[in-house]
Structures are given as C-alpha cells and as structure tokens.
Amino acid sequence: MECCCSAKLSSPSSILSFQGFSSPVGRKISKKCLQPQLLSSPLPKPFLQLNNKHNSFLYRHSSTSFPLRTSYRGGVISAETWDLGRFLKTLFFFNGPPSPAKFVESLIEKFSSPSPEEPPKAMETSGIVLVAGATGGVGRRVVDILRKKGLPVRVLVRNEEKARRMLGPDIDLIVGDITKESTLLRKYFKGVRNVINAVSVIVGPKEGDTPERAKYSQGIKFFEPEIKGDSPELVEYVGMKNLINAVKGSVGLRNGKLLFGFEDGIFKELPWGALDDVVMGGVSESTFQFDRTGGENGGSTGLFKGVVSTANNGGFTSIRTKNFSEPEDLSAYDGLALHLKGDGRRYKLIVRTSSEWDTVGYTAGFDTVGGQWQSIRLPFSSLRPIFRARTVSDAPPFDSSNVVSLQLMFSKFEYDGKLNPTFVEGAFQLPLSSIRSYVKDPITPRFVHVSAAGVTRPERPGLDLSKQPPAVRLNKELGFILTFKLKGEDVIRESGVPYTIVRPCALTEEPAGADLIFDQGDNIMGKVSRDEVALICVAALESPYACDKTFEVKSTIPFSEPFTVDPDNPPPEKDYDIYFKTLKEGITGKEMLEQSPVPV
C-alpha cells in the first residue's frame, strides 16, 4: 500500500473519515454498513470485482442493494466518487485491514521528521559449501582446502562420530544418508549455496586389505574388487536423485525459479488482487486479467490495467498478491526478472518479507519502453526499504529467503517526496507474462560432482575391454557400477542446476603438482592424485569456464613412475582456468553409445 504523502491533508478527522472511525460521515458509515455478519462473509470470486461507476456506488448487503450518497465538504471524501464497497473488498481480499493507529502514527512521523539522508543498507549474502562424502579420500581433502580459504563449510555424513574424529569436533554437519530420502530434510540445507559431492559406492579387495588400506590407497596395482555396502544403483543413481532434490532449492537453478507465468506448458498462477488508492480515499482502480492472445508471439499473458486519478488526493494503482501459503526462499538467486510489454512509463516492484498487512515493502522502480516486449532485471541489492513512499533507514536488510508477497504499482510518487516523471492520469495497461528469479552472469557451478573415467565404456561398441581398467571390465560383476555412475551424472545434467562433473582416472595418494591432461569424450586412462582432484573441485566453484562441463583428468606421469614433491621447492599453484577454458559443453562420451551404424 502507498500513501500519497505529498498531498495536502485538511485535518486528521478527514484522514480517518474514509475509514469510518470518526466524523459524522464515519459514524454514519459504520452504523449502516459495517455489520458483523458482513465482515465474516466470504467473497464470491477469488479476485476483487471492481465497480466502474465513479459518480456513485452501491453497497450490497445480503439481497439488499441501496445507494449511499454522502458528502463531506471539509474533508477528502465525497461518497459520489469514493467507493466504500471496493474499499471493503480490498480489506477482505487481503485478510488484513491496516491499523488506523499505525497509519496516523506514520503520518505524524512523516510530517515531523526530516527526509532520511542515510542510504539504504545493502543486502548481505553469504553461502555455505556443502561437502557430501566428507570422510572419504577426496572429500576430506576438499574440506581442508575450503577451510584454508576461509569459506563456510557444512558436511553431509552418515557417521557423526567418525566425522568429528576426522574433521574436528566443531565441524558443521548434517547426519544423513543419500540413499534414504527421509534423512535429507530441506531445512538442513538452508544457507547452502554450493555442493561438492564426493560420495561414491565403496569398492574394496575381495580378499581384504591391510589395516592401513595399502591396497586401496596404492591405486596402482589392481586387486580383485567387490562392492562393500550399498549397491551402485542405490548410491550412484537413487542417492543422486535424493541429493539433488534436497539441495536444488537452496543452490538454485540456472534458469531461475518461476514465480508467475508459463513454463513447459504449465501456467504458474499467483493470487493477485487490486490494491489502489481507494484505501486512502482515492478513486483510481485497477485489475489483473488473463489474456490468451495478448502475449509475445500471440501467446498468453497477464494484463495489469486500470485508470489512475489524482482526485481525492489519490494517485496510484497496484496489484498485490495475497501472502504466499509458504514463503519463497530465493536466497540462491540475485534478483527478480519481469518479462513485460512496456508503455513508456515507470512502475515499481514491491517485495515483502513480512506477513503483516501494513509493513515495509522492499521496492525498486523500473522504466519501460513503449510498445516493446522486454525483460527487466531487478537485483535484490537494488531494493529500498519503503513504507508509505518513504525510505526506512533503520529497516533490516532484505531477506531473500523469506519472500511473502509481491506487488506491482503505477504511482504518481516515487519515494521521499520525489515524483514519477512519467506519470500521466488516465487509462494504462501493462502486459506481464512472467516473474522469475535469476542468477546473475557469469554463472558458476553450484554442484561439483566427482564421478569416474570410463563410465560410458562398458557398452561402447568395438572397444577392446582387455585393455581397459578393472572397473570397465568388471562393470557387470560390480553391480553395473559405471552404468549407474553415468545415470547419476545424467540426473545432474537434467536438474537445471549449474554443474561441473569431474571424471578422475585411477586415484592415488601421491601429492598434487604434476602436469595434468584434461580431456573429453571418455577415452583416456592413467592416474591422478586425490589432492589434485580436490583442488580441481574447489577451483571449479569459482570458474564460469567450468560451468556445465564434463571432463576426464589424469596426470602426465605414467603408472610406472611415482610422483614426489621436494618440500623445499614445491611446484607452483595451478591456474585451473587454463584447463577449464579448453572444455566444451555437451561432450560426455555418450555420443559413441548413441551412434547408429551407417547403412550400406
């Protein structure tokens, strides 16, 4: 709701008269109209039905209709122009009439206090990196690197005691199992912005290992393997679906989250209602309609339209949603994008984070181009805390994790006494096809996954399996381990979450530092250090060049040569962007599986 604070107000009693709380007019309205049974009666339709007659209004109660013609010469109201019925419907629709005391208090404060000069507080954002599989060989190294970089870390583990013993007693952790969806409650992942997933099915020697896990750690001399614990299908495929579903609400989708409009043939509705200057005694009115052919390219769209007037000290129209049944968590995103057809005027978007009716609205104005469909991005960082067209300098920072309602407004007023330079009285209309959150460019990976080289090879035609690593040769005997790793990769690629999929060759305990080969198409074999893979995963989080890429990695050092590092002369830190820049989207190695024989 907006107050036209620059308008002249003749007296406090005139302000209250249209709300029915004082003056002879107010008393007359309250006695005849505000009956208890009316206040509890539901509206017949979900959207406010507006009365288009400006010269008089009809008040309908039960089956009785009668005109009210009242004037109040010394105040702002003339019942010949102000529509009490629309005023009441507005209150009923939003289930929360404004507090008269709060309204008067805000006006007194407005006229007794100078305009604030302090700029609005900037929105603060921080993101947690979740490490799944944090007690494994790669996962624990990832945690160490993130901590050294000073980044907030949370771990997902099955065994709390083991995790605290290995990672420290103060580690922020979630006890859960990706194979059991019920253990991955979304509230556990609030604040998580990125995920590095190093969970993998457990493979060990059939005949056992040494207490120091020498066979597992060596990673060079191949032992006869078997699956230990849960099956590859449960861990690599079902587990991946469970994990993605649990985190994608907090890490965000590449194309944003649709709040209103069409997507994949489905219309996402919002409960819009008119909130015009009738609540301040004005006569402007608006509505929101569904237009099946008025959208871009002849498609469907919503239509915000109405007539705005400055009569009775008015001057604004708006549509506002009812409070959402559950607040929208948009903390993974950077702002809201509106796709609309402009009319050359300046509008406002108001976002509320409180369920109260009359409260601060975080506001951004935007200009439109006449007769042109356009996408307008409004960063959350640009939202100003506004109450009754005035900046609230001590308001809390905007909380994008708790969006309760949206409002679209056309007004004579900006805020803090400024006027809308594009304001013109009369009819207007603004087609609005969608509102969605967005991730600003450049987009970097939100989900980094450690897979394995060889995932596409077991079924590849013409491949000599005798020359392949044991996991490829024994794919079936190992519960189709690589087949389900590939299916898990596909879950990530189809999720809409910005990702990087790293496919290391045979993992070793050797230090990082050797020269690397990044390749695509799933063809290379070799070895690579777990330390190096952990560094690659962390680097991918910050690189737009790694986004939506799948690649294999190995060291240039052959199996027969151990790699060591001189502590007094360590190798320089790598710029992994040099490697990421060589990668292309869409190359996974599945192309070889999908090729059909050429007919003779």
Side-chain angles (χ1 to χ4, degrees):
M1 193 171 73
E2 175 158 309
C3 171
C4 303
C5 294
S6 296
K8 292 182 178 180
L9 304 173
S10 57
S11 68
S13 62
S14 66
I15 297 295
L16 293 178
S17 65
F18 71 82
Q19 299 187 57
F21 292 104
S22 67
S23 82
V25 175
R27 287 191 292 271
K28 184 182 295 184
I29 290 175
S30 64
K31 289 179 181 179
K32 291 191 175 183
C33 303
L34 301 182
Q35 301 298 329
Q37 59 265 38
L38 173 65
L39 294 175
S40 61
S41 62
L43 286 174
K45 294 184 179 180
F47 191 84
L48 298 179
Q49 301 301 311
L50 305 183
N51 181 359
N52 292 321
K53 296 181 180 179
H54 289 282
N55 296 326
S56 64
F57 63 88
L58 289 179
Y59 179 73
R60 294 173 175 81
H61 181 208
S62 301
S63 59
T64 304
S65 298
F66 56 92
L68 286 178
R69 298 185 181 274
T70 309
S71 62
Y72 182 44
R73 296 179 182 178
V76 287
I77 292 178
S78 168
E80 294 180 353
T81 58
W82 183 69
D83 192 332
L84 175 64
R86 244 182 350 111
F87 173 71
L88 293 175
K89 287 182 179 180
T90 300
L91 302 189
F92 283 128
F93 182 82
F94 292 104
N95 296 320
S99 163
K102 185 175 181 181
F103 172 65
V104 173
E105 180 183 349
S106 70
L107 287 178
I108 294 173
E109 183 183 1
K110 161 65 183 175
F111 292 112
S112 62
S113 303
S115 298
E117 297 182 358
E118 180 183 345
K121 298 177 182 179
M123 182 186 66
E124 299 179 1
T125 58
S126 62
I128 297 169
V129 182
L130 176 75
V131 181
T135 57
V138 172
R140 58 184 171 83
R141 289 169 167 86
V142 167
V143 172
D144 289 342
I145 296 168
L146 292 171
R147 281 172 154 178
K148 289 177 182 177
K149 291 174 70 70
L151 297 174
V153 182
R154 184 175 298 164
V155 300
L156 173 62
V157 295
R158 291 188 297 178
N159 188 319
E160 180 178 358
E161 182 181 354
K162 177 182 178 182
R164 295 199 185 279
R165 184 174 65 250
M166 183 178 293
L167 304 173
D170 59 343
I171 187 71
D172 179 12
L173 58 76
I174 301 168
V175 178
D177 186 341
I178 66 170
T179 68
K180 298 178 175 62
E181 185 178 15
S182 61
T183 68
L184 305 180
L185 301 182
R186 291 189 179 184
K187 65 181 181 180
Y188 297 159
F189 303 95
K190 188 175 180 63
V192 169
R193 294 294 170 269
N194 299 92
V195 178
I196 296 179
N197 179 42
V199 174
S200 177
V201 68
I202 300 174
V203 180
K206 270 188 178 180
E207 69 278 8
D209 204 345
T210 66
E212 296 80 21
R213 302 187 73 192
K215 293 180 181 179
Y216 170 82
S217 299
Q218 187 179 24
I220 295 175
K221 294 180 181 179
F222 299 113
F223 48 80
E224 186 176 3
E226 68 176 357
I227 299 296
K228 311 283 187 178
D230 293 323
S231 70
E233 180 179 11
L234 197 56
V235 175
E236 305 288 352
Y237 177 52
V238 176
M240 183 63 72
K241 290 196 291 185
N242 292 340
L243 182 59
I244 285 288
N245 287 335
V247 303
K248 69 180 180 180
S250 61
V251 303
L253 304 177
R254 181 188 305 101
N255 295 326
K257 182 176 184 179
L258 184 72
L259 302 180
F260 166 79
F262 282 90
E263 186 172 66
D264 300 327
I266 299 174
F267 181 58
K268 176 72 178 294
E269 297 185 73
L270 284 177
W272 297 105
L275 182 54
D276 302 321
D277 58 17
V278 68
V279 298
M280 312 301 298
V283 299
S284 303
E285 54 185 298
S286 65
T287 186
F288 191 74
Q289 301 173 351
F290 182 71
D291 187 344
R292 294 188 178 278
T293 59
E296 192 171 17
N297 302 319
S300 299
T301 187
L303 182 62
F304 172 34
K305 63 182 297 187
V307 178
V308 64
S309 169
T310 58
N312 283 7
N313 295 322
F316 75 87
T317 63
S318 76
I319 52 170
R320 175 174 166 178
T321 66
K322 287 185 175 181
N323 290 341
F324 303 145
S325 56
E326 291 185 10
E328 290 281 359
D329 181 359
L330 303 180
S331 54
Y333 303 98
D334 298 297
L336 291 173
L338 284 65
H339 193 66
L340 51 80
K341 185 178 182 180
D343 59 2
R345 303 185 188 189
R346 184 170 179 81
Y347 292 83
K348 297 178 187 178
L349 178 71
I350 303 170
V351 186
R352 285 182 172 79
T353 58
S354 170
S355 59
E356 293 183 10
W357 160 269
D358 209 12
T359 186
V360 168
Y362 294 85
T363 306
F366 60 91
D367 295 303
T368 66
V369 179
Q372 178 177 314
W373 281 96
Q374 57 189 130
S375 291
I376 295 173
R377 287 190 168 191
L378 301 174
F380 290 143
S381 59
S382 71
L383 298 177
R384 299 174 65 105
I386 302 294
F387 183 70
R388 300 195 183 283
R390 182 183 177 210
T391 300
V392 182
S393 59
D394 59 349
F398 174 68
D399 181 8
S400 58
S401 70
N402 192 56
V403 173
V404 172
S405 70
L406 301 175
Q407 186 174 354
L408 194 61
M409 175 177 286
F410 178 51
S411 174
K412 175 182 177 180
F413 301 92
E414 293 276 276
Y415 35 73
D416 300 334
K418 298 178 182 178
L419 298 178
N420 180 352
T422 70
F423 179 79
V424 179
E425 291 191 72
F428 73 93
Q429 61 179 29
L430 186 73
L432 174 68
S433 67
S434 69
I435 301 176
R436 69 187 314 130
S437 59
Y438 71 87
V439 179
K440 68 180 179 182
D441 296 323
I443 299 177
T444 55
R446 301 293 180 91
F447 194 103
V448 177
H449 173 59
V450 181
S451 183
V455 292
T456 69
R457 298 181 209 172
E459 304 301 326
R460 186 180 296 179
L463 192 68
D464 186 353
L465 292 179
S466 66
K467 296 180 180 180
Q468 294 296 314
V472 178
R473 298 197 310 267
L474 301 174
N475 181 56
K476 181 178 180 180
E477 289 77 5
L478 293 174
F480 294 96
I481 180 173
L482 296 181
T483 301
F484 285 111
K485 280 184 177 289
L486 181 60
K487 287 173 70 69
E489 288 185 6
D490 287 340
V491 170
I492 300 170
R493 283 188 280 263
E494 295 165 3
S495 68
V497 175
Y499 68 87
T500 299
I501 297 174
V502 185
R503 293 170 170 174
C505 292
L507 293 166
T508 74
E509 292 293 302
E510 294 173 342
D515 290 336
L516 301 174
I517 295 174
F518 279 37
D519 197 31
Q520 293 181 283
D522 196 18
N523 297 305
I524 62 174
M525 293 180 284
K527 66 176 182 178
V528 65
S529 158
R530 290 183 175 87
D531 286 346
E532 197 80 64
V533 172
L535 289 166
I536 291 169
C537 289
V538 175
L541 292 179
E542 301 175 349
S543 176
Y545 304 108
C547 193
D548 298 343
K549 306 292 176 58
T550 300
F551 62 93
E552 298 79 48
V553 58
K554 73 171 185 175
S555 164
T556 58
I557 307 298
F559 275 120
S560 57
E561 297 179 17
F563 177 73
T564 59
V565 169
D566 180 0
D568 297 327
N569 188 29
E573 292 185 5
K574 292 185 178 69
D575 179 0
Y576 291 101
D577 270 352
I578 295 175
Y579 299 94
F580 294 145
K581 287 178 180 179
T582 67
L583 303 175
K584 298 179 180 179
E585 291 186 28
I587 301 177
T588 65
K590 292 177 64 177
E591 303 80 22
M592 300 294 294
L593 303 179
E594 295 166 355
Q595 289 178 356
S596 56
V598 178
V600 177

